PDB file of all heavy atoms in Angstrom:
ATOM      1  N   MET Z  49       9.585 -17.426  -5.435  1.00 91.00           N
ATOM      2  CA  MET Z  49      10.280 -16.175  -5.123  1.00 91.00           C
ATOM      3  C   MET Z  49      11.737 -16.389  -4.738  1.00 91.00           C
ATOM      4  O   MET Z  49      12.649 -15.676  -5.159  1.00 91.00           O
ATOM      5  CB  MET Z  49       9.579 -15.432  -3.951  1.00 91.00           C
ATOM      6  CG  MET Z  49       8.399 -14.605  -4.374  1.00 91.00           C
ATOM      7  SD  MET Z  49       7.885 -13.464  -3.076  1.00 91.00           S
ATOM      8  CE  MET Z  49       9.207 -12.255  -3.099  1.00 91.00           C
ATOM      9  N   SER Z  50      11.977 -17.449  -3.986  1.00 90.00           N
ATOM     10  CA  SER Z  50      13.282 -17.768  -3.519  1.00 90.00           C
ATOM     11  C   SER Z  50      14.206 -18.103  -4.708  1.00 90.00           C
ATOM     12  O   SER Z  50      15.363 -17.754  -4.778  1.00 90.00           O
ATOM     13  CB  SER Z  50      13.241 -18.934  -2.514  1.00 90.00           C
ATOM     14  OG  SER Z  50      14.534 -19.330  -2.152  1.00 90.00           O
ATOM     15  N   ALA Z  51      13.627 -18.866  -5.632  1.00 90.00           N
ATOM     16  CA  ALA Z  51      14.361 -19.268  -6.847  1.00 90.00           C
ATOM     17  C   ALA Z  51      14.828 -18.042  -7.679  1.00 90.00           C
ATOM     18  O   ALA Z  51      15.875 -18.114  -8.325  1.00 90.00           O
ATOM     19  CB  ALA Z  51      13.537 -20.184  -7.683  1.00 90.00           C
ATOM     20  N   TYR Z  52      14.039 -16.982  -7.682  1.00 88.00           N
ATOM     21  CA  TYR Z  52      14.379 -15.811  -8.432  1.00 88.00           C
ATOM     22  C   TYR Z  52      15.142 -14.760  -7.567  1.00 88.00           C
ATOM     23  O   TYR Z  52      15.411 -13.675  -8.065  1.00 88.00           O
ATOM     24  CB  TYR Z  52      13.136 -15.203  -9.085  1.00 88.00           C
ATOM     25  CG  TYR Z  52      12.661 -16.031 -10.246  1.00 88.00           C
ATOM     26  CD1 TYR Z  52      11.538 -16.875 -10.105  1.00 88.00           C
ATOM     27  CD2 TYR Z  52      13.316 -15.969 -11.474  1.00 88.00           C
ATOM     28  CE1 TYR Z  52      11.114 -17.627 -11.157  1.00 88.00           C
ATOM     29  CE2 TYR Z  52      12.877 -16.750 -12.561  1.00 88.00           C
ATOM     30  CZ  TYR Z  52      11.770 -17.593 -12.394  1.00 88.00           C
ATOM     31  OH  TYR Z  52      11.332 -18.330 -13.475  1.00 88.00           O
ATOM     32  N   CYS Z  53      15.378 -15.073  -6.321  1.00 86.00           N
ATOM     33  CA  CYS Z  53      16.167 -14.219  -5.450  1.00 86.00           C
ATOM     34  C   CYS Z  53      15.583 -12.809  -5.367  1.00 86.00           C
ATOM     35  O   CYS Z  53      16.258 -11.802  -5.423  1.00 86.00           O
ATOM     36  CB  CYS Z  53      17.639 -14.127  -5.899  1.00 86.00           C
ATOM     37  SG  CYS Z  53      18.456 -15.771  -5.959  1.00 86.00           S
ATOM     38  N   PHE Z  54      14.221 -12.755  -5.218  1.00 87.00           N
ATOM     39  CA  PHE Z  54      13.577 -11.465  -5.085  1.00 87.00           C
ATOM     40  C   PHE Z  54      13.626 -10.917  -3.678  1.00 87.00           C
ATOM     41  O   PHE Z  54      13.390 -11.617  -2.722  1.00 87.00           O
ATOM     42  CB  PHE Z  54      12.076 -11.628  -5.438  1.00 87.00           C
ATOM     43  CG  PHE Z  54      11.718 -11.150  -6.851  1.00 87.00           C
ATOM     44  CD1 PHE Z  54      11.254 -12.073  -7.754  1.00 87.00           C
ATOM     45  CD2 PHE Z  54      11.923  -9.849  -7.222  1.00 87.00           C
ATOM     46  CE1 PHE Z  54      10.884 -11.646  -9.031  1.00 87.00           C
ATOM     47  CE2 PHE Z  54      11.568  -9.457  -8.483  1.00 87.00           C
ATOM     48  CZ  PHE Z  54      11.056 -10.323  -9.405  1.00 87.00           C
ATOM     49  N   ALA Z  55      13.905  -9.596  -3.572  1.00 88.00           N
ATOM     50  CA  ALA Z  55      13.584  -8.857  -2.365  1.00 88.00           C
ATOM     51  C   ALA Z  55      12.097  -8.671  -2.393  1.00 88.00           C
ATOM     52  O   ALA Z  55      11.445  -8.770  -3.436  1.00 88.00           O
ATOM     53  CB  ALA Z  55      14.363  -7.550  -2.319  1.00 88.00           C
ATOM     54  N   GLY Z  56      11.523  -8.320  -1.263  1.00 94.00           N
ATOM     55  CA  GLY Z  56      10.079  -8.205  -1.269  1.00 94.00           C
ATOM     56  C   GLY Z  56       9.452  -7.341  -0.232  1.00 94.00           C
ATOM     57  O   GLY Z  56      10.130  -6.933   0.800  1.00 94.00           O
ATOM     58  N   THR Z  57       8.240  -6.954  -0.437  1.00 97.00           N
ATOM     59  CA  THR Z  57       7.339  -6.279   0.513  1.00 97.00           C
ATOM     60  C   THR Z  57       6.024  -7.027   0.426  1.00 97.00           C
ATOM     61  O   THR Z  57       5.832  -7.828  -0.441  1.00 97.00           O
ATOM     62  CB  THR Z  57       7.173  -4.771   0.238  1.00 97.00           C
ATOM     63  OG1 THR Z  57       6.747  -4.621  -1.124  1.00 97.00           O
ATOM     64  CG2 THR Z  57       8.518  -4.064   0.349  1.00 97.00           C
ATOM     65  N   VAL Z  58       5.165  -6.676   1.364  1.00 98.00           N
ATOM     66  CA  VAL Z  58       3.831  -7.432   1.403  1.00 98.00           C
ATOM     67  C   VAL Z  58       2.691  -6.414   1.545  1.00 98.00           C
ATOM     68  O   VAL Z  58       2.788  -5.477   2.360  1.00 98.00           O
ATOM     69  CB  VAL Z  58       3.804  -8.399   2.634  1.00 98.00           C
ATOM     70  CG1 VAL Z  58       2.401  -8.970   2.847  1.00 98.00           C
ATOM     71  CG2 VAL Z  58       4.775  -9.586   2.379  1.00 98.00           C
ATOM     72  N   HIS Z  59       1.663  -6.587   0.765  1.00 98.00           N
ATOM     73  CA  HIS Z  59       0.465  -5.789   0.890  1.00 98.00           C
ATOM     74  C   HIS Z  59      -0.613  -6.651   1.535  1.00 98.00           C
ATOM     75  O   HIS Z  59      -1.091  -7.647   0.962  1.00 98.00           O
ATOM     76  CB  HIS Z  59      -0.038  -5.276  -0.474  1.00 98.00           C
ATOM     77  CG  HIS Z  59      -0.969  -4.129  -0.361  1.00 98.00           C
ATOM     78  ND1 HIS Z  59      -2.104  -4.181   0.440  1.00 98.00           N
ATOM     79  CD2 HIS Z  59      -0.980  -2.874  -0.911  1.00 98.00           C
ATOM     80  CE1 HIS Z  59      -2.756  -3.032   0.305  1.00 98.00           C
ATOM     81  NE2 HIS Z  59      -2.083  -2.205  -0.472  1.00 98.00           N
ATOM     82  N   ALA Z  60      -1.019  -6.285   2.773  1.00 98.00           N
ATOM     83  CA  ALA Z  60      -1.980  -7.069   3.542  1.00 98.00           C
ATOM     84  C   ALA Z  60      -3.413  -6.818   3.017  1.00 98.00           C
ATOM     85  O   ALA Z  60      -3.671  -5.867   2.313  1.00 98.00           O
ATOM     86  CB  ALA Z  60      -1.905  -6.661   4.993  1.00 98.00           C
ATOM     87  N   PRO Z  61      -4.314  -7.720   3.345  1.00 98.00           N
ATOM     88  CA  PRO Z  61      -5.770  -7.543   3.034  1.00 98.00           C
ATOM     89  C   PRO Z  61      -6.311  -6.216   3.579  1.00 98.00           C
ATOM     90  O   PRO Z  61      -5.786  -5.750   4.598  1.00 98.00           O
ATOM     91  CB  PRO Z  61      -6.435  -8.756   3.638  1.00 98.00           C
ATOM     92  CG  PRO Z  61      -5.393  -9.775   3.683  1.00 98.00           C
ATOM     93  CD  PRO Z  61      -4.126  -9.044   4.011  1.00 98.00           C
ATOM     94  N   TYR Z  62      -7.355  -5.730   2.975  1.00 98.00           N
ATOM     95  CA  TYR Z  62      -7.892  -4.428   3.323  1.00 98.00           C
ATOM     96  C   TYR Z  62      -9.353  -4.399   2.960  1.00 98.00           C
ATOM     97  O   TYR Z  62      -9.931  -5.352   2.435  1.00 98.00           O
ATOM     98  CB  TYR Z  62      -7.156  -3.318   2.572  1.00 98.00           C
ATOM     99  CG  TYR Z  62      -7.115  -3.508   1.065  1.00 98.00           C
ATOM    100  CD1 TYR Z  62      -8.110  -2.935   0.233  1.00 98.00           C
ATOM    101  CD2 TYR Z  62      -6.161  -4.288   0.457  1.00 98.00           C
ATOM    102  CE1 TYR Z  62      -8.109  -3.119  -1.112  1.00 98.00           C
ATOM    103  CE2 TYR Z  62      -6.176  -4.473  -0.969  1.00 98.00           C
ATOM    104  CZ  TYR Z  62      -7.147  -3.885  -1.714  1.00 98.00           C
ATOM    105  OH  TYR Z  62      -7.142  -4.106  -3.064  1.00 98.00           O
ATOM    106  N   PHE Z  63     -10.024  -3.248   3.189  1.00 97.00           N
ATOM    107  CA  PHE Z  63     -11.369  -3.064   2.794  1.00 97.00           C
ATOM    108  C   PHE Z  63     -11.498  -2.615   1.351  1.00 97.00           C
ATOM    109  O   PHE Z  63     -10.747  -1.727   0.956  1.00 97.00           O
ATOM    110  CB  PHE Z  63     -12.114  -2.064   3.701  1.00 97.00           C
ATOM    111  CG  PHE Z  63     -13.516  -1.731   3.206  1.00 97.00           C
ATOM    112  CD1 PHE Z  63     -14.563  -2.498   3.643  1.00 97.00           C
ATOM    113  CD2 PHE Z  63     -13.742  -0.690   2.338  1.00 97.00           C
ATOM    114  CE1 PHE Z  63     -15.871  -2.251   3.153  1.00 97.00           C
ATOM    115  CE2 PHE Z  63     -14.986  -0.399   1.888  1.00 97.00           C
ATOM    116  CZ  PHE Z  63     -16.089  -1.168   2.295  1.00 97.00           C
ATOM    117  N   ALA Z  64     -12.362  -3.186   0.555  1.00 95.00           N
ATOM    118  CA  ALA Z  64     -12.606  -2.747  -0.804  1.00 95.00           C
ATOM    119  C   ALA Z  64     -14.071  -2.903  -1.169  1.00 95.00           C
ATOM    120  O   ALA Z  64     -14.663  -3.940  -0.896  1.00 95.00           O
ATOM    121  CB  ALA Z  64     -11.720  -3.551  -1.792  1.00 95.00           C
ATOM    122  N   ALA Z  65     -14.599  -1.842  -1.793  1.00 89.00           N
ATOM    123  CA  ALA Z  65     -15.986  -1.933  -2.296  1.00 89.00           C
ATOM    124  C   ALA Z  65     -16.164  -2.666  -3.619  1.00 89.00           C
ATOM    125  O   ALA Z  65     -17.261  -3.019  -4.002  1.00 89.00           O
ATOM    126  CB  ALA Z  65     -16.519  -0.545  -2.407  1.00 89.00           C
TER     127      ALA Z  65
END
Side-chain angles (χ1 to χ4, degrees):
M49 276 195 74
S50 176
Y52 286 103
C53 301
F54 259 118
T57 55
V58 170
H59 197 308
Y62 55 92
F63 173 87

